[in-house]
Amino acid sequence: MATWEIAPGQVRAPDASAPDESEIIALSGPYLSQRTDVRIWDDTDFRVVHMTPGHDLRVDPETHKRRIIAVANGIVHVRIQGGEEFQLGSSGICKISPGMRCVFLNKQYAGAVLHIFTILGYEM
């Protein structure tokens, strides 16, 4: 692992002089795994969620946010707004529209990793 990945966990653009999120061009896995949402652009947050076996993630409805949730590793079961449950495996994505409720459940004996992109400022 590179030294920057441990601390500070981010790489800034070569010409970045101000401590602004828009100047960050890389974030390490350890950095992302220790935080909730990380602002990567003015209107976009990113989060990594490690799901242990039997763990669930509930995404509450929010009218001003759109989400794209990608399965980076493993298999999860997904239920959106009371619809039928379906499985989603590695490299699969799920779109959560504003105002929609969603539940992700890891029913496997191995862990799963989700990457969550949240797009802010959406008007319904």
Side-chain angles (χ1 to χ4, degrees), residues 28 36 76 78 92 100 102 120:
S28 71
T36 54
V76 294
V78 183
M100 301 288 289
C102 185
L120 309 166

Side-chain angles (χ1 to χ4, degrees), residues 55-113:
H55 178 90
D56 71 345
L57 172 68
R58 297 180 184 281
V59 177
D60 292 325
E62 295 194 53
T63 58
H64 63 286
K65 294 180 181 179
R66 290 187 284 179
R67 293 182 179 95
I68 298 169
I69 301 177
V71 179
N73 188 29
I75 299 171
V76 294
H77 292 250
V78 183
R79 183 178 303 248
I80 300 175
Q81 198 76 23
E84 293 210 19
E85 185 176 287
F86 59 92
Q87 276 189 196
L88 190 61
S90 293
S91 300
I93 69 163
C94 181
K95 298 186 324 181
I96 311 298
S97 297
M100 301 288 289
R101 178 182 315 277
C102 185
V103 177
F104 294 83
L105 177 61
N106 181 2
K107 294 184 178 181
Q108 308 299 311
Y109 284 105
V113 179

Side-chain angles (χ1 to χ4, degrees), residues 26-60:
L27 297 165
S28 71
Y31 178 90
L32 291 168
S33 296
Q34 296 176 22
R35 287 164 174 68
T36 54
D37 291 343
V38 174
R39 181 70 35 97
I40 57 174
W41 281 300
D42 291 340
D43 66 345
T44 308
D45 287 347
F46 181 74
R47 177 167 51 140
V48 175
V49 175
H50 293 270
M51 296 183 69
T52 56
H55 178 90
D56 71 345
L57 172 68
R58 297 180 184 281
V59 177
D60 292 325

